[in-house]
Amino acid sequence: MDDFQSGEETAFVVDEVTNIIKEAVEGSIGGNAYQHNKVNQWTSSVVEQCLNQLTKLSKPFKYIVTCVIMQKNGAGLHTASSCYWDNQTDGSCTVRWENKTMYCIVSVFGLAI
Amino acid sequence: MADRKAELERKKARLEQMRRERKEKELSKTRNVGDDSKTSVKSSGSDASGAEPDDILREFGISPAPEGSPATPKKAAAQSQAVKEVEVPTSVSHTTPRKVRLSVAKVNETSIPPRENVSYSKETQTIIADPVDKDARGPWDYYVLVYDDANKSDDDNDLDFIENLEGSSSHAHQFRGHGHSHGHGHTHKMPHVEMVAPATTSEEQNKEHKKPVPELSEEEKKQILMSEGFQKFFDHSSRIVERALAEEVDIFADYSGKDSGGKDDEAMAGERLKVNRDFYDDKWSKHRIITSLDWSAQHPELLLSSYGSNEDATNVPDGVALIWNIKYKKDTPEYVFHCQSPVMSSCFAKFHPNLVLGGTYSGQIVLWDNRVNKRTPVQRTPLSASAHTHPVYCITVVGTQNAHNLISVSNDGKLCSWSLDMLSQPQDSMELQHKQSKSVAATCSSFLSGDANNFIVGSEECLVYSASRHGSKAGINEAYDAHQGPITAIDTHRVPGQIDFSPYFLSSSFDWTVKLWSIKEQKYLCSFEDNSDYVSDVQWSPTNPALFSSVDIMGRLDLWHLNHETEVPTASVVVDTNVALNKLRWHQTGHHIGVGDDMGRIYIYDVAENIANPKADEWSKFVRTLQEMKQQATEREEDSTLLGSAAPIR
């Protein structure tokens, strides 16, 4: 998604959000192998951490965070999303992370209030 | 009627309660106006209409957009208690309408392709076994059914019985007697199968004891010397005696010196790579370039080296492969093998400790066996178009103990997979072609760690390719273009650990550089440019994930420890100014490196333990090093694209 920096603090900055997501994912599942009994905790923790960091930015935004963790078993996956919003101020960001046993896809949508 | 009255009274009571509660709430609102609790505020705020707060605030001269929650409640409290309404909840600011232009955003897609389950079938043709040669072996392979009697007869009686009888029936009884003496609970009546012993009578037994030693004539002596049994015995014993004679026990071993040296990194810089010994055979390895080295998996002290041809001598075989032993001090090879064409690549057959494979210049693949007393190959592949017709530079055994193949790639881009049982024709062959049917002139190949399907190939056209043997993407998949000279060696990462680095590989080339790549990325991660001549070989350490070694043709052996330094090698030593080093191979322990030059000499270097052994955090440090390299790589890409777009000043 495009980010236009119209107004100093009231636009969706993709790079910043990407970093937040990467840190949240690394912190929660970096270095772990897929374990079905723990995935529950991991997805919750990723989403919560992302959201906490995003709210700390104190920007006038509504955030939607989704996290998908898929075990590497040979299955294929395809997802798509689109939005109808104000392209100047709203934006989204998706981070795909993987290790040897699983994929993790986190999407953050930010809608200006 | 009474019920109705009770109900009415209850309802009245309830109504009065509710009125009282409302009054209390209103009173508490006026009292609690000074608090910072937003909950009570909000609940009261929700009662009021939207217009009133604005009106009230305008009374106080506050603009419709309040700043923070603490200020407004205090002001309201200060004014009067008539103010029943309280401040506007602070979470939402002004309500002035903003012009919003909505439009559909680009579709955001994520795709993970399914893993293809590659399956293939393998067949082997068994060789029809030769019919049993009755004369060669003793008559021990006849089996006889023996029936046990319910009554155990006396052993003494049996033996007497035997002495009187002759013929096969006696053996049965003899064995039955033995069987009885051994097996105590042997009372079953079912027949059991036993071996038949040759008939030996008492007279023959006496004869065997008293055999006189006859005098041998010269002819007989020569015959014995030439016989196979004697040759075997002599070979075996002379080997052992040679080892014993060459052994010198070093009584001056200083353990305290080694310990103190290991701790001080800087002072011991010169000791990081030290020559342990060298291997050179005047007859077999003189003036021959070493074309490949391989350490045995089953016997870690054995080193296989293959040699090219000796241009100076004429009537010696062109291709030689020697097996050296670093455990003993003797300086002659353990085994000598040779063949008619220079050996360009060789390896131990990973799952057969006795077999040695060699790929030759003529395209023939030869198999030597150290169990037979022959120095020439026991099996050869045919020299035909179905196999290879160009030099075989890459030869590896991939797979597992029960399902393995020999993979060979020749210089014309042909890849053949063979079964070690049958080298008369390849099981499967494939042409490696990259775009517009251009054959890959392969010079080196390496399979990915733990993968018998995916591998990378380096070529003379300065490109590295990734390829697979089977599946829908069989053949060349991707090309990695960055070198400016033919690729001399590639090596994939294979250190096991919690973090997997298997997508990373190294390539060395004639353009004086070694480059580090990831299979997933088109552009290289890092280029090591410390050499000033062709880099001939490169290999990752088998134990330390951030360590690799390279040799160049100026006689230099470099050790690069990427967690310490990526610009210059951590340790570097020049073997000899006049030789070009051609091949290098790490020992499985990661403590020795075998290096071969172009004059037929192999040097074994010891790597200092503090460098060779990985520390516990070596893996995570390497992850960070790789991330830094990736950042530098993207910066480099941006710089180059900016330069390419003719931007004058950045």
Side-chain angles (χ1 to χ4, degrees), chain B residues 240-249 328-332:
Chain B
I240 294 174
V241 172
E242 200 177 357
R243 281 183 202 159
L245 287 173
E247 206 62 45
E248 306 150 0
V249 181
Y328 303 110
K329 297 263 179 355
K330 75 168 194 178
D331 53 4
T332 52

Side-chain angles (χ1 to χ4, degrees), chain B residues 157-448:
Chain B
N157 289 345
D158 273 355
L159 288 171
D160 288 337
F161 195 43
I162 286 158
E163 281 184 17
N164 296 330
L165 287 177
E166 282 188 26
S168 59
S169 56
S170 69
H171 322 309
H173 291 289
Q174 181 185 42
F175 269 82
R176 188 181 54 168
H178 281 265
H180 276 281
S181 62
H182 292 157
H184 296 286
H186 221 51
T187 50
H188 63 83
K189 290 182 192 171
M190 296 299 292
H192 60 275
V193 173
E194 296 191 298
M195 298 269 266
V196 174
T200 50
T201 59
S202 47
E203 293 135 349
E204 284 173 358
Q205 281 164 357
N206 289 339
K207 254 193 193 169
E208 278 164 2
H209 293 308
K210 293 186 223 167
K211 232 181 185 174
V213 179
E215 265 306 315
L216 295 171
S217 69
E218 281 302 315
E219 282 293 317
E220 283 177 321
K221 280 184 188 166
K222 270 196 184 165
Q223 220 177 11
I224 292 177
L225 281 173
M226 290 295 124
S227 77
E228 197 191 325
F230 181 81
Q231 292 281 342
K232 266 193 188 169
F233 154 75
F234 193 69
D235 181 61
H236 182 68
S237 338
S238 62
R239 201 184 288 279
I240 294 174
V241 172
E242 200 177 357
R243 281 183 202 159
L245 287 173
E247 206 62 45
E248 306 150 0
V249 181
D250 179 21
I251 55 174
F252 295 109
D254 180 14
Y255 295 108
S256 59
K258 275 186 188 165
D259 281 353
S260 66
K263 284 173 195 165
D264 194 355
D265 278 345
E266 301 311 313
M268 290 290 127
E271 298 290 306
R272 282 180 194 155
L273 276 175
K274 211 167 57 151
V275 176
N276 184 337
R277 60 185 300 182
D278 66 340
F279 289 123
Y280 180 75
D281 187 271
D282 214 25
K283 181 179 169 198
W284 289 108
S285 64
K286 195 167 181 178
H287 291 148
R288 290 177 190 259
I289 182 170
I290 288 168
T291 51
S292 79
L293 294 168
D294 191 27
W295 294 92
S296 165
Q298 286 89 357
H299 304 285
E301 63 268 18
L302 293 183
L303 171 66
L304 166 70
S305 55
S306 67
Y307 298 81
S309 57
N310 185 351
E311 281 100 15
D312 299 338
T314 45
N315 54 353
V316 288
D318 272 346
V320 169
L322 305 176
I323 297 186
W324 302 91
N325 191 328
I326 61 166
K327 200 156 96 168
Y328 303 110
K329 297 263 179 355
K330 75 168 194 178
D331 53 4
T332 52
E334 284 278 342
Y335 293 99
V336 175
F337 299 119
H338 54 74
C339 67
Q340 286 310 102
S341 167
V343 183
M344 305 317 301
S345 58
S346 68
C347 69
F348 278 102
K350 234 193 314 191
F351 304 105
H352 299 268
N354 295 306
L355 301 181
V356 174
L357 293 152
T360 64
Y361 194 76
S362 60
Q364 204 176 40
I365 296 171
V366 290
L367 177 76
W368 290 284
D369 192 331
N370 70 354
R371 290 170 291 198
V372 297
N373 208 3
K374 269 171 68 173
R375 287 179 168 185
T376 49
V378 292
Q379 269 200 76
R380 277 173 247 254
T381 63
L383 273 171
S384 72
S386 64
H388 294 289
T389 49
H390 279 68
V392 176
Y393 282 118
C394 335
I395 187 169
T396 21
V397 176
V398 294
T400 59
Q401 173 75 40
N402 295 324
H404 54 268
N405 284 92
L406 169 68
I407 308 294
S408 57
V409 187
S410 60
N411 208 23
D412 60 351
K414 189 152 182 208
L415 181 143
C416 289
S417 80
W418 310 80
S419 155
L420 283 173
D421 312 314
M422 195 170 74
L423 286 184
S424 53
Q425 68 174 72
Q427 268 194 341
D428 186 29
S429 67
M430 193 167 79
E431 292 285 335
L432 292 173
Q433 285 171 350
H434 173 63
K435 283 186 195 171
Q436 303 138 4
S437 43
K438 208 171 67 157
S439 290
V440 167
T443 55
C444 46
S445 78
S446 175
F447 272 80
L448 291 189

